Amino acid sequence: MRQFPFGATQAPFSHPGWQIGPGLLIAGSLLTLTIAGVAALLWQAHLPEVSELWQNRYLSNVIQFTVWQATLSTLLSLALGLVIALALVRQPRFPGRNLLLRIMELSLVLPTIVAVSGLVGVFGRHGWLTSVIEHWTMVRWNLYGLNGIVLAHVFFNAPLAGRILLQALESVPAPRRRVASQLGLAGWWLWRTLDWPAVRQVLPGIAALVFTLCFTSFAIVMTLGGGPASTTLEVAIYQSLRFEFDFGRAALLAIVQLAICGAIWLLMVRRGLSANLSPQRSFSESILRPDSQGITRFRDIVLLLCFTLFLLLPLAAILFRGLPGLVTVVVDGGNPLTDLGDATLRSFAIALPAGAFSVLSALLVLTLASRGGPHLARLSSVATAVPLMIPPIVLGTGLFLLLRPSLGHSSQGLVLVALINGLMALPFVTQLLKGPLTGLDQATAQQADQLGLLGWYRWRWLHWPRLKRPLALAMAYGTGLSLGDFGVIALFGTPGQPTVPVLLYQQLGSYRMELAAGTALWLVTLLLLVFAAFNLPGYRRKQSRHQQDALKTLAEARHA
Amino acid sequence: MLRRSLTLFAGLALPLLASAQSNNTLTVYTHPSFAAEWGPGPGVKEAFEQKCDCTLEYVVLDSGGDILQRLRLEGNSTDADVVLGLDTGTMETARQTGLLAQHSISLDSLDLPIEWQDSLFVPYDWGYFAFVYDTEQLPNPPKSLEELVNAPEELQIIIQDPRTSTPGLGLLLWMKAVYGDRAGEKWQALSDNILTTTKSWSDGYFSLFMNGEAPMILSYSTSPAYHMAIDKTDRYQAAEFEEGHYLQVEVAALVEASEQKALARDFLQFILTADFQRHIPLKNVMFPAIDLGDELPEVFDRLIQPDNILFIDPATVAEKRKSWLDEWLNAMIP
């Protein structure tokens, strides 16, 4: 290395330790934290009866139902997500494209109680759509039970899947797109040569992600499920912890959940990882796809419009119910407005650090995966998935048991809330950053090595331009998820200082329906603002033109 | 971006970190609907602080179940001096933790539908569990629990999960009090009428009932008082059932580990005065625990007054709860 003009030793953070050390620390702490949380529960409890799992009719029913609804939800979400992503990649100039993308980002972070209220407004017994359907067809639609659970899961997860798949599809290298375009490939062949290879890389990861999300679903199942016959493991864990104080059973069920999700995750991710080394580059959209015209175009647009409506109608329902309340609060001012303002500041004080923490951890852990060899790569993918599988309440309670004697003041509780919120967002953030960060192709990487682009410079000139947009989106996800959190904040509650979701629940608990509807709308507005704010810099393309050019030169050199 | 966020956080977090505790602070663990701005909490705080030369601080936990859980988790290192928000369904479990102390105050002024003598728990309000219905959707509600259980499938109701919600547990006990050993089969008969079982009361009331999803929801006999007094509407009423209604009493207690026992006892005493109780009817939407006389809002005269009061001894509830829950679970699984 010494012979290069500006060698490795001169670039800040270029020592290999910087690429592995911090990530190893984070991944290690994550696993330790999880194990410690569960162990703390077991340590406080009597040893649980393992045989209960198959002897208790209710528990075995719970496990079966959890697996069944999660499988169904995953298949439908992925199918819809893929169809939408393909339509979006074919129609880069679809007028509502940006709006649709923003809404797609939002749906995952929408707090469940708000979303369910919107879904019910559309698909419920007296919902807009239900009345229309029942008027024109003989179909009797019932939202409650498996129907509602799967519908809500698709509503939440199809946009997520679509968003990640779109990112994968858009990252197909330009030379390949150009060749496909020149050859006039269409239909099946285009899918085989262009789309499928791009999708194949991320599909196992998304499938694992969506499955885990649906598997651990809680509030949706509780509200739309209809009763004990459709209960998930997460609910059973919650119940053992909060009402039975049966730490042993909670820990046992958490381990079952961890085992099932973990197995799926390993199965899916093992294949995904090895395929992740192929090049990824996002160039301008100037290369027209042969299959984006004519009847396909018409079909795509109809499809995208329907999907937009599917996502927008529940939000519209929230808007219609919430607007009168919110207007009253803003116009009248006084205490309700002060409360809302304070809660908003408090929410951001927790959510912004949580978002930053999740993004930073994801970057470090992903660097670990790409630089540290196969074992460390596996460690990193397991570590980032773990927060998904372990119920926040288990982690929270476990940590509480461990930390309590030294947990002095409630402000420490707030830091802990931010920390756990950040951890909860880690799996999503990782999925978003994984492609762009690890997708640097080998030739470019080698070239950069030869040029001595290491450490900070490498980050600045190779990664930063391609990571800017994903980073902004990841930050929005991390912040948004924490903004809507109710579970963790409730556990480490602070004296009469509610965040916006807590305020919402307080208002509900006190029959302030109009205020609550207003607060729900405000929460959605905040989420929209967060996404808008973080995506704005990513769309000011012109400023970074010279960086793009630098990249282009680097890449074109390889193909010359 | 990152650096900017961190700076912002530092600015926002400082006021949060600065709230230090003084020595003369009484810490009360309670739930959100009590401590919220529009709940009884702020009024009670103001009234008590005028008398006590102290600061009353609420630690707001998610629910009665959470108060108990937090207390158990914290054990003797707890900050709590008083817990407020347990009820007749959870108080016996709380007693068994051994973390509560005797209140040693006189309970003579209590005005409850049942006799109450308890050395640990001071009641602060009460009400009956009841089904609240939408008069526009359901002009003729069932007149008894039996009628509801046998109602045609068209009558759909929303209930709450007895494992995660206080009213949910209330209905479980209600069914048990009325049907005893036959409760399981009655639950099976009722299951056709259950549109959905929600996690908490708020999920069901806000997302579903107020959206018109079902004409009837498990709630409190006092819920209509809020609609009548504040929303100015008679649309939502409670159905009175012949068999009687199950009673819920909400209680407060002194924490054994408290270093402010004298102050805490003053507070428990204060609970039984009009200065505390006048905040209960329309802010906690429950009946006050003492006779408020003319101060009781008029709408409370228009609430149902069951002839038959159902109540199972809290000790029995604590002992049997798990097996009764299992009975319910088995009745609800197809």
Side-chain angles (χ1 to χ4, degrees):
Chain A
M1 290 279 170
R2 288 269 162 81
Q3 66 265 39
F4 293 120
F6 39 101
T9 45
Q10 284 167 17
F13 306 115
S14 61
H15 189 272
W18 278 110
Q19 289 158 14
I20 296 181
L24 200 61
L25 187 73
I26 299 237
S29 339
L30 249 170
L31 289 178
T32 317
L33 219 62
T34 311
I35 295 168
V38 177
L41 288 185
L42 282 172
W43 162 63
Q44 285 271 325
H46 307 288
L47 275 181
E49 283 287 331
V50 181
S51 62
E52 239 193 311
L53 284 178
W54 48 89
Q55 280 169 1
N56 185 323
R57 202 163 73 91
Y58 167 70
L59 281 186
S60 47
N61 186 72
V62 164
I63 297 175
Q64 276 168 31
F65 179 80
T66 313
V67 174
W68 166 232
Q69 63 82 16
T71 312
L72 204 61
S73 304
T74 308
L75 289 178
L76 288 175
S77 303
L78 287 193
L80 185 60
L82 183 60
V83 170
I84 293 301
L86 281 171
L88 279 169
V89 85
R90 277 195 293 259
Q91 309 301 337
R93 289 192 188 83
F94 168 62
R97 196 174 190 267
N98 275 343
L99 172 73
L100 179 55
L101 286 178
R102 295 291 83 74
I103 308 168
M104 283 169 75
E105 286 155 9
L106 190 70
S107 66
L108 181 84
V109 292
L110 211 56
T112 14
I113 187 171
V114 178
V116 162
S117 146
L119 282 172
V120 162
V122 179
F123 301 100
R125 277 159 59 89
H126 294 91
W128 304 345
L129 212 60
T130 314
S131 335
V132 175
I133 292 174
E134 288 185 356
H135 184 76
W136 294 105
T137 67
M138 293 307 287
V139 180
R140 284 279 294 163
W141 157 262
N142 181 11
L143 184 65
Y144 305 95
L146 192 64
N147 281 348
I149 294 177
V150 172
L151 180 84
H153 282 166
V154 170
F155 174 81
F156 274 105
N157 295 308
L160 172 75
R163 197 73 184 71
I164 304 178
L165 285 169
L166 179 66
Q167 218 165 45
L169 286 171
E170 277 183 338
S171 67
V172 172
R176 241 198 260 179
R177 287 204 240 172
R178 217 171 287 141
V179 171
S181 173
Q182 280 159 4
L183 290 175
L185 291 183
W188 169 251
W189 287 105
L190 195 66
W191 164 255
R192 272 289 305 273
T193 51
L194 217 60
D195 300 333
W196 172 241
V199 165
R200 200 183 52 189
Q201 290 175 48
V202 287
L203 210 50
I206 306 175
L209 180 66
V210 174
F211 182 87
T212 314
L213 281 175
C214 299
F215 194 91
T216 57
S217 177
F218 176 68
I220 289 175
V221 177
M222 276 308 254
T223 317
L224 296 177
S230 38
T231 287
T232 51
L233 267 171
E234 188 100 351
V235 177
I237 292 169
Y238 180 82
Q239 125 83 3
S240 322
L241 261 188
R242 242 181 65 173
F243 289 82
E244 298 294 333
F245 311 104
D246 192 343
F247 292 160
R249 193 186 219 186
L252 179 70
L253 292 178
I255 291 169
V256 171
Q257 176 156 320
L258 206 58
I260 297 179
C261 290
I264 299 262
W265 198 265
L266 283 179
L267 202 75
M268 300 284 199
V269 174
R270 236 180 51 195
R271 292 186 57 234
L273 265 182
S274 55
N276 230 338
L277 286 166
S278 62
Q280 296 212 5
R281 185 164 315 288
S282 180
F283 280 123
S284 60
E285 286 128 15
S286 60
I287 305 158
L288 209 64
R289 286 174 60 116
D291 61 348
S292 61
Q293 299 300 316
I295 186 79
T296 328
R297 183 176 160 77
F298 178 71
R299 198 193 57 202
D300 282 345
I301 286 178
V302 170
L303 189 74
L304 290 177
L305 284 178
C306 287
F307 188 64
T308 312
L309 276 184
F310 172 60
L311 298 182
L312 265 189
L313 282 180
L315 294 180
I318 297 167
L319 179 72
F320 280 116
R321 292 195 56 204
L323 209 51
L326 198 56
V327 167
T328 316
V329 169
V330 173
V331 172
D332 290 358
N335 276 334
L337 189 63
T338 320
D339 287 344
L340 199 59
D342 289 351
T344 307
L345 284 183
R346 219 169 278 129
S347 284
F348 275 110
I350 294 172
L352 284 174
F357 173 69
S358 66
V359 169
L360 196 64
S361 317
L363 280 179
L364 294 174
V365 175
L366 281 171
T367 313
L368 175 72
S370 61
R371 293 255 126 189
H375 289 300
L376 289 183
R378 197 153 302 163
L379 171 74
S380 92
S381 77
V382 169
T384 50
V386 155
L388 267 185
M389 308 169 188
I390 194 94
I393 191 163
V394 169
L395 198 62
T397 311
L399 288 180
F400 194 95
L401 287 172
L402 289 174
L403 295 176
R404 181 57 212 174
S406 55
L407 202 66
H409 196 259
S410 53
S411 55
Q412 283 170 311
L414 281 187
V415 174
L416 213 55
V417 173
L419 196 73
I420 300 181
N421 280 167
L423 290 186
M424 294 297 147
L426 191 56
F428 308 96
V429 172
T430 314
Q431 284 292 325
L432 285 169
L433 296 180
K434 195 179 198 166
L437 188 72
T438 58
L440 199 64
D441 57 293
Q442 219 139 31
T444 312
Q446 271 166 12
Q447 211 160 29
D449 282 344
Q450 282 165 9
L451 288 172
L453 271 180
L454 293 167
W456 170 249
Y457 300 119
R458 190 191 193 91
W459 162 251
R460 175 70 186 81
W461 293 104
L462 277 186
H463 291 301
W464 175 243
R466 54 165 52 211
L467 265 177
K468 253 192 322 189
R469 279 172 68 188
L471 268 182
L473 183 61
M475 187 67 196
Y477 264 114
T479 311
L481 277 171
S482 174
L483 213 53
D485 165 68
F486 180 63
V488 184
I489 185 81
L491 192 67
F492 295 97
T494 40
Q497 299 181 327
T499 57
V500 180
V502 175
L503 186 73
L504 172 62
Y505 276 82
Q506 289 183 354
Q507 290 166 340
L508 291 176
S510 317
Y511 298 86
R512 311 286 283 226
M513 300 304 159
E514 206 194 354
L515 268 187
T519 307
L521 176 61
W522 177 241
L523 190 52
V524 177
T525 314
L526 285 183
L527 290 168
L528 273 173
L529 286 176
V530 162
F531 274 89
F534 280 112
N535 278 301
L536 217 55
Y539 279 87
R540 271 195 233 117
R541 286 260 185 89
K542 280 178 188 146
Q543 287 183 352
S544 59
R545 179 65 66 189
H546 65 284
Q547 291 162 10
Q548 293 254 341
D549 287 345
L551 258 180
K552 214 169 192 167
T553 323
L554 205 65
E556 299 286 314
R558 167 168 90 91
H559 291 284
Chain B
M1 183 78 55
L2 194 69
R3 200 177 307 147
R4 226 179 301 154
S5 330
L6 288 175
T7 326
L8 184 57
F9 170 57
L12 293 173
L14 280 176
L16 297 178
L17 300 174
S19 60
Q21 273 181 328
S22 76
N23 285 335
N24 217 10
T25 299
L26 186 72
T27 307
V28 177
Y29 281 13
T30 185
H31 48 66
S33 53
F34 186 87
E37 180 64 40
W38 42 85
V44 165
K45 178 180 159 74
E46 201 189 327
F48 186 62
E49 283 177 352
Q50 276 179 2
K51 293 185 166 183
C52 73
D53 183 33
C54 70
T55 313
L56 180 61
E57 190 172 290
Y58 298 116
V59 172
V60 187
L61 300 167
D62 191 13
S63 68
D66 275 336
I67 296 172
L68 182 48
Q69 192 211 31
R70 174 71 79 96
L71 196 63
R72 286 175 59 128
L73 286 174
E74 293 180 339
N76 284 324
S77 65
T78 183
D79 290 337
D81 300 306
V82 170
V83 288
L84 185 148
L86 301 173
D87 76 335
T88 29
T90 46
M91 62 182 245
E92 203 56 32
T93 324
R95 192 196 308 272
Q96 286 161 9
T97 63
L99 295 168
L100 301 177
Q102 307 230 337
H103 57 65
S104 42
I105 59 171
S106 160
L107 298 178
D108 291 344
S109 56
L110 279 177
D111 182 31
L112 300 182
I114 52 165
E115 265 303 298
W116 189 280
Q117 281 304 332
D118 194 294
S119 59
L120 289 189
F121 297 101
V122 179
Y124 67 91
D125 68 15
W126 60 277
Y128 300 102
F129 294 114
F131 282 91
V132 170
Y133 66 100
D134 178 352
T135 50
E136 289 179 13
Q137 278 196 61
L138 193 71
N140 297 306
K143 294 191 170 51
S144 64
L145 193 58
E146 183 67 15
E147 203 179 308
L148 176 67
V149 166
N150 297 320
E153 216 180 306
E154 284 82 60
L155 176 62
Q156 292 285 296
I157 61 169
I158 298 162
I159 66 166
Q160 292 94 43
D161 195 316
R163 297 168 299 167
T164 51
S165 132
T166 318
L169 182 62
L171 180 60
L172 189 81
L173 301 180
W174 192 357
M175 293 283 281
K176 205 71 208 174
V178 172
Y179 293 116
D181 293 343
R182 289 163 60 225
E185 59 188 85
K186 294 293 178 181
W187 270 113
Q188 245 161 12
L190 182 65
S191 64
D192 292 342
N193 300 99
I194 300 172
L195 178 70
T196 186
T197 307
T198 62
K199 177 188 68 162
S200 68
W201 175 89
S202 6
D203 289 353
Y205 212 88
F206 170 68
S207 301
L208 309 178
F209 183 63
M210 283 292 155
N211 258 329
E213 285 299 290
M216 212 171 184
I217 184 170
L218 173 65
S219 188
Y220 299 90
S221 67
T222 43
S223 305
Y226 189 88
H227 294 295
M228 291 190 287
I230 311 290
D231 296 342
K232 309 283 182 215
T233 174
D234 289 0
R235 182 170 167 183
Y236 304 103
Q237 294 298 333
E240 184 164 358
F241 283 177
E242 278 167 14
E243 295 91 343
H245 287 248
Y246 197 87
L247 176 74
Q248 183 195 32
V249 182
E250 292 196 281
V251 297
L254 175 63
V255 178
E256 178 66 57
S258 164
E259 287 165 8
Q260 308 262 20
K261 286 216 180 67
L263 189 58
R265 284 198 177 94
D266 287 346
F267 182 73
L268 291 175
Q269 190 77 65
F270 175 70
I271 285 178
L272 301 178
T273 64
D275 287 341
F276 180 103
Q277 292 291 332
R278 70 168 59 96
H279 299 286
I280 291 295
L282 286 181
K283 290 185 169 170
N284 225 32
V285 200
M286 291 290 263
F287 284 104
I290 62 168
D291 188 359
L292 269 184
D294 292 345
E295 279 202 66
L296 188 69
E298 277 174 35
V299 286
F300 275 73
D301 298 338
R302 296 172 55 201
L303 299 176
I304 57 166
Q305 300 288 350
D307 300 328
N308 197 7
I309 296 153
L310 303 172
F311 188 70
I312 301 174
D313 178 41
T316 316
V317 175
E319 185 194 334
K320 299 278 187 164
R321 198 170 61 120
K322 199 164 163 52
S323 66
W324 291 349
L325 273 173
D326 283 341
E327 181 184 59
W328 173 76
L329 281 173
N330 283 321
M332 303 306 276
I333 304 175

